[in-house]
Every structure is written in C-alpha cells, then in structure tokens.
Amino acid sequence: MTESINAITPDTGQIQRRRTCAIISHPDAGKTTLTEKLLLFGGAIHIAGAVKSNKIRKTATSDWMEIEKQRGISVATSVMGFDYGGRKINILDTPGHQDFAEDTYRTLTAVDSVIIVVDIAKGVETQTRKLMEVCQMRKTPVMIFVNKMDRDGILPFDLLDDLEQELHIPVRPLSWPIEMGPKFKGVYTIYEEKLDLYTPAKQTITESVQFKDVNSPDLEKYIGDNEARQLRADLELIEGVYPTFDVNTYLKGDLAPVFFGSALNNFGVKELLECFIRIAPSPRPVRAEERLIYPEKDPFSGFIFKIHANMDPNHRSCIAFLKICSGRFERNANYKHVRFDKWMKLTSATAFMAQKKETVDEAFAGDIIGLPDTGNFKIGDTLTSGENLHFKGLPSFSPEMFKYIENADPMKTKQLNKGIDQLMDEGVAQLFINQHNGRKIIGTVGQLQFEVIQYRLLHEYGAQCRWEPLSLYKACWIESDSREALENFKKRKFQYIAVDKEGRDVFLADSAYVLQMAQQDFKDIRFHFQSEY
Ligand code: G4P
C-alpha cells in the first residue's frame, strides 16, 4: 500500500502540478479550521484565526442582510491558492448554510477532488450526505478527515461503518487514532508507518514524535501497554477487513481514504496534506457537449460556475468565477464568449493566492479566476480561444420551496422581468413558467432566497414583487422517447406543467403521492430530479 501511494511520480508541468479541491462538511464539523491549518502549512498565512469563517452565525439566521454581509467576507476566501510540496493547491470554499446548497453543488463541478470533514462525535450528517451524492454523480475522488479526535465520540470502527453506509462508498483508513477525547494519544499513519504523538498546540505548528516500527516493544513506552496492544490489534483488523488502498480506485471515485485528527490542535492535518499532494488528481479531462477537453493538449477554455453579487446597493457589480478547463489564460488576450458569439478582452481578471485577490497575468487549467461582471455572464457560460464549446454538468436540482412571484408595481414590469432574468442567470433561484396560466414560479432551496430576491429586485432594479403561496412537493424534468406519450402526459396534467428557464418541460408534483402515481401510470415518461440527464 505504501508503494502505491509513494510510487506517484512528481508532476512538474504547470497544469500537472495543480490540485483543485473543495472541502465540504456539515456546518460545525471543522471545515474552516481545517482550511486554515492547510493554509498554515502552505505558508499562505502565519497565524491561526486568519481565515474568516464562511459560516453563517447561528444568531443571524433570520437577518439575511447580515448574512449577505457575512457572505461578502467569503468572496475573498472563495478560492484559496497556495504552494506546497511542489504543488499548486486551490481550495474552493463552500457555503455551510443549507440555504446556499445550490452554490455548493455548482462549486463541486469546478473541482477535481474533495475532502470531506466529519465530526467524530456526530458521524455523517445530512448536509454531508447530500453533497456526497453530487460527488458520486460526477465520480469525484474523495478523502475523509475525521475531526475532533480530542473529544469523545463514535468508536472508530463504528464510524467507518457509518461512513460506508451513509456515504455509499468503500473506505480505507490510512491513519488510525490511539484512543480519543481526554485519553487521545495520537495517530498512527498507516501509509507512512509512523507514529505521531498528540501534543495539543492551538496556535503554532509543532513537530510530532516519529515512531517507525509498530511491532517494536518500544511502542509501550510511548503510548502505554493497553494502548500498544489495542493499536496492534486494530491495525491487524484493518489489514484483514479493509481493501488494500489502491490509488486508481480512489481516483475513479470508488474508494475513500480516511484520516483521523484534530484540526483545531493541528494534529493529523499534515499527514492528510502529504497524502493529498501525492494522490489527489491534477486537472482531469472535462466533457463538453462537443467533445472531451484535455487540460494540457487543448488551448484555453473555461466555464462560469458561480456568480457572486456585491451587496452594495449603490453599484451593482458581481464577480463571475471561471474554472479554467484547459490551456493557459493570458491577461489582455481576446477570448470568445460562446453564448454571445463575441470576443472579449479580459484585462482585470483576478487570481486568488492565499487570501489575497490580485490581478492575474497568467493562469492555467485547474485555476479559478474571478471576472468582474456587470451582467455579461450567467452560470454555465463558456469562454474559449475560439472554439464553440459548451460544458455539461452544471445541474440544477429540484427546489424545495416554491412561490408565485407577482408584480407589485405595474409601472415597473420591464424592470421586474429583467431583474428576475438576471438573478436567475446568477443562480440565486430557479424560474418555472406554468404553461396553464402563464404565471412565474420561483423555486428555492431555502426561505432566505425569497427575501434576497425581493430585496435585490427593489434595490438593484427598482421593481417590487409580491409572493403568493404555492404548495408543491417537487419539480421534475420530464422526457420521453415517444412524443405522443409526452404530449398525452402534458395534456392530462396540464395544470401542473411548466417550462424552466431553458425551455425544458417540467412536471410540478404537489405531493409525493401524486408523483408516485404519475410514475406508475405513465411508464413512458422519465422523471428526473435534476436538470441534466
Ligand atoms: P465549519 O467551518 O465546518 O462550520 O466549522 P469550524 O471550523 O468553524 O469549527 C466549528 C467549531 O468546532 C469551532 O468552535 C472550532 O473551534 C471547533 N473545532 C474545529 N476543529 C476542532 C477540533 O479538532 N477539536 C475541537 N475540540 N474543536 C474543533 P466554535 O466554538 O464554534 O468556534 P470558535 O469560537 O472556536 O471559532
């Protein structure tokens, strides 16, 4: 196993050396803390506490303006780039608040691998489960960091079972804890065959004691008789029960290596990072509708996966985040905006190094650059060196909440429609138009978005809207091989048929039962819970 990890040859090319990943977790598991410790190792920051939490403070959940202010902080920390061990690592931050789950799903389309943080006391939580589904859809390789080992929690073997069952992926521990909570002694890093003894140190990086051979009688001296016996037994069990770690299986998204540690105490983080730089993938080929795009072979191309609005009401400006899929980006060069069939000179694109945003002269596949935007971009837009490419795989999921949006100021109809269009392009929420009555329906994943939309329509577009309740269970995208069957279904369910922003047919099911009956009665219709199928 050691060999399979260490055999990876160092990559030296600009693209080959990039590792773009997202750290995801249920709120409070320790994502921000882990990110900060990774940046400390990378020398990108020098003191703990420098990374502002992207977490929405619990006390503020009812005040969305406050939340947006807090989210404003996160623009700076949306992408954090740093160098470590000859690699250029780009960490993409993901909002913890579940009302911004769509943002996180889209961010996952821009990364090549993912680190999942799990709290030892809580195990797998809802948000993590959902995000893992997205990783699996895309076959994104994942590593798991079990955090807060300095606290009592679920027994490690039980936790591994929980991970496998809840995340639907075989796991393989690459480090192993010795006790936990107040008795926590340290971790044994299986792939390096070394023992790191635990020394709580919150503010600085401390060297941990190395220990080579677990079968040596010296082990007892370091961790005690019982612990040494237990560790040997655990390691034997691991070797017997879990598959040998195979890098290629991990790269295919079919096996998740697991690490244990305490981010707050800076423990076990270096081991995770060392393994990450060895096994995490460099930018991978990306599927465009037209063909597969190769990061190194093809000239510049990229897509917009996130648009972040500036909440300053005095000037409407956004940053569009572009993931470079292939080639090299150069400042002042002309690139083609494929949807507009127009060439653009990108003079003030920014790159993200550590927490600084700087004008970028060049960037490479794997990097994320920020483009100042005044309404030119929408999610999924492609920029290329000339070729007409359209990147797939930016799915929308069925929203959880629905409301009719009504015009509250008939003099401002144009402004309202423009505002709705642009906010939907930004990915704030989803728009459906009911084909029966022509009314516009806004679908979101949380109540907050309705407030955000209403406020922004008023302050940025001078338009006023009113919400009307609508009780729906799900919006499903529908299709069929038989045109007749589709038309028949649409006729039978005419009150519940809508189109989305792209003109795709959508069935609005008002209850789980209705949806189930429709699936049963209309066998020729395929019901999809995401827009890409
Ligand atoms: P998040 O981004 O995933 O939401 O989590 P975050 O890093 O903000 O961590 C959530 C809480 O868990 C923080 O405490 C943080 O200090 C704590 N934490 C993180 N890693 C560890 C660990 O290894 N051990 C222990 N015991 N705690 C850990 P807080 O009190 O909510 O915030 P703060 O006042 O410490 O910032």
Side-chain angles (χ1 to χ4, degrees):
M1 182 177 60
T2 313
E3 268 169 29
S4 75
I5 293 176
N6 293 333
I8 310 290
T9 46
D11 303 318
T12 47
Q14 280 292 9
I15 294 174
Q16 279 276 299
R17 76 183 196 93
R18 275 157 165 80
R19 301 287 179 275
T20 304
C21 83
I23 302 184
I24 57 177
S25 75
H26 191 87
D28 267 356
K31 181 172 65 73
T32 310
T33 314
L34 179 67
T35 306
E36 177 172 278
K37 296 301 149 91
L38 293 174
L39 292 183
L40 273 169
F41 278 113
I45 55 170
H46 299 287
I47 47 156
V51 175
K52 292 282 168 281
S53 173
N54 187 4
K55 187 172 44 173
I56 312 294
R57 277 195 296 273
K58 292 177 197 86
T59 48
T61 42
S62 57
D63 179 356
W64 77 265
M65 197 55 202
E66 180 56 30
I67 288 171
E68 278 300 327
K69 262 191 239 146
Q70 291 184 34
R71 251 161 64 83
I73 298 167
S74 72
V75 174
T77 56
S78 283
V79 185
M80 285 161 282
F82 64 95
D83 286 301
Y84 183 84
R87 304 277 193 254
K88 159 87 188 290
I89 300 169
N90 294 313
I91 298 179
L92 272 60
D93 197 11
T94 52
H97 197 291
Q98 62 163 14
D99 283 11
F100 297 99
E102 283 272 321
D103 245 29
T104 303
Y105 298 149
R106 284 192 291 259
T107 297
L108 292 180
T109 66
V111 299
D112 297 300
S113 71
V114 159
I115 297 174
I116 297 178
V117 186
V118 174
D119 182 335
I120 183 72
K122 306 224 171 108
V124 176
E125 298 172 87
T126 6
Q127 196 70 355
T128 318
R129 215 174 290 129
K130 282 195 196 162
L131 296 171
M132 183 65 188
E133 280 172 28
V134 182
C135 294
Q136 260 162 347
M137 250 163 47
R138 307 176 51 79
K139 286 285 181 196
T140 309
V142 301
M143 286 170 116
I144 300 171
F145 184 75
V146 181
N147 191 26
K148 307 197 186 180
M149 290 309 297
D150 58 318
R151 287 196 181 162
D152 283 324
I154 304 167
L155 292 174
F157 280 115
D158 292 344
L159 186 86
L160 294 181
D161 287 348
D162 181 46
L163 292 172
E164 290 204 324
Q165 275 164 24
E166 296 291 329
L167 300 179
H168 306 289
I169 189 164
V171 298
R172 203 327 164 172
L174 287 185
S175 82
W176 194 250
I178 301 149
E179 294 288 353
M180 62 170 82
K183 284 160 63 188
F184 185 47
K185 291 266 163 53
V187 293
Y188 182 73
T189 306
I190 299 173
Y191 78 95
E192 285 183 324
E193 297 175 325
K194 76 173 177 143
L195 178 72
D196 290 317
L197 293 175
Y198 176 61
T199 36
K202 295 185 186 168
Q203 300 302 324
T204 51
I205 300 163
T206 50
E207 281 299 309
S208 43
V209 183
Q210 285 241 331
F211 193 94
K212 282 269 174 207
D213 181 10
V214 74
N215 288 314
S216 148
D218 279 353
L219 186 62
E220 274 78 357
K221 278 192 224 148
Y222 283 98
I223 57 175
D225 293 357
N226 289 342
E227 288 82 355
R229 212 175 310 121
Q230 188 64 47
L231 177 63
R232 291 189 190 110
D234 285 353
L235 293 175
E236 212 173 290
L237 193 60
I238 290 167
E239 293 305 322
V241 171
Y242 291 94
T244 307
F245 182 73
D246 175 57
V247 175
N248 287 322
T249 319
Y250 154 74
L251 290 173
K252 282 191 206 134
D254 291 330
L255 179 67
V258 181
F259 292 83
F260 292 84
S262 167
L264 186 65
N265 295 294
N266 215 347
F267 197 77
V269 178
K270 188 159 184 278
E271 290 65 33
L272 172 80
L273 182 59
E274 286 289 337
C275 187
F276 175 83
I277 60 166
R278 286 189 197 138
I279 67 170
S282 54
R284 306 197 290 177
V286 186
R287 180 153 297 286
E289 267 166 40
E290 293 76 7
R291 64 186 182 86
L292 205 57
I293 306 301
Y294 293 92
E296 285 173 288
K297 237 171 56 188
D298 285 306
F300 170 83
S301 71
F303 66 88
I304 306 285
F305 66 94
K306 166 177 171 145
I307 295 178
H308 200 118
N310 179 353
M311 291 310 293
D312 180 349
N314 295 323
H315 57 96
R316 184 189 138 72
S317 72
C318 300
I319 298 183
F321 289 81
L322 179 122
K323 161 82 189 275
I324 305 179
C325 298
S326 62
R328 173 170 170 265
F329 167 86
E330 217 179 299
R331 187 179 176 194
N332 290 331
N334 281 309
Y335 294 112
K336 188 175 183 178
H337 187 312
V338 174
R339 182 167 56 92
F340 289 165
D341 192 21
K342 204 175 83 183
W343 290 84
M344 301 178 85
K345 191 181 262 203
L346 303 173
T347 48
S348 39
T350 46
F352 306 85
M353 255 331 251
Q355 292 177 283
K356 288 198 286 291
K357 216 159 62 115
E358 287 165 353
T359 305
V360 62
D361 291 323
E362 64 168 9
F364 296 87
D367 285 338
I368 312 294
I369 53 173
L371 308 174
D373 178 31
T374 47
N376 277 325
F377 295 117
K378 68 177 190 175
I379 305 278
D381 271 348
T382 306
L383 290 178
T384 70
S385 307
E387 191 175 348
N388 285 332
L389 295 174
H390 301 85
F391 288 102
K392 288 172 77 89
L394 284 160
S396 299
F397 293 86
S398 173
E400 319 256 314
M401 294 180 180
F402 301 85
K403 284 183 185 179
Y404 280 122
I405 184 164
E406 296 296 339
N407 189 357
D409 178 357
M411 305 297 286
K412 298 282 171 62
T413 308
K414 246 167 88 181
Q415 286 87 333
L416 182 78
N417 289 339
K418 185 175 171 211
I420 294 175
D421 266 1
Q422 289 195 349
L423 293 182
M424 298 307 121
D425 284 352
E426 253 182 52
V428 176
Q430 293 182 59
L431 172 72
F432 303 100
I433 298 174
N434 186 316
Q435 295 301 279
H436 171 54
N437 54 23
R439 293 176 77 181
K440 287 183 174 169
I441 298 166
I442 301 290
T444 70
V445 285
Q447 174 61 30
L448 263 178
Q449 270 95 338
F450 292 114
E451 293 167 38
V452 171
I453 291 167
Q454 189 159 21
Y455 181 94
R456 291 189 56 191
L457 284 173
L458 183 63
H459 289 85
E460 293 172 32
Y461 300 92
Q464 290 191 48
C465 76
R466 199 178 59 234
W467 300 109
E468 281 191 21
L470 176 61
S471 166
L472 287 179
Y473 168 64
K474 269 201 167 39
C476 308
W477 286 265
I478 48 169
E479 62 160 357
S480 174
D481 294 332
S482 154
R483 230 182 122 140
E484 205 186 322
L486 189 62
E487 288 311 314
N488 178 40
F489 179 78
K490 283 161 68 174
K491 222 191 263 161
R492 294 276 296 277
K493 299 280 180 193
F494 69 97
Q495 284 172 305
Y496 299 98
I497 300 298
V499 291
D500 72 2
K501 192 158 60 74
E502 315 297 334
R504 289 172 292 216
D505 291 322
V506 173
F507 172 51
L508 307 168
D510 54 0
S511 71
Y513 176 72
V514 163
L515 177 60
Q516 199 188 343
M517 291 310 286
Q519 284 171 312
Q520 214 171 309
D521 295 346
F522 296 88
K523 294 265 188 265
D524 290 340
I525 307 291
R526 288 188 291 277
F527 297 82
H528 301 283
F529 299 97
Q530 58 169 91
S531 62
E532 297 248 333
Y533 40 84

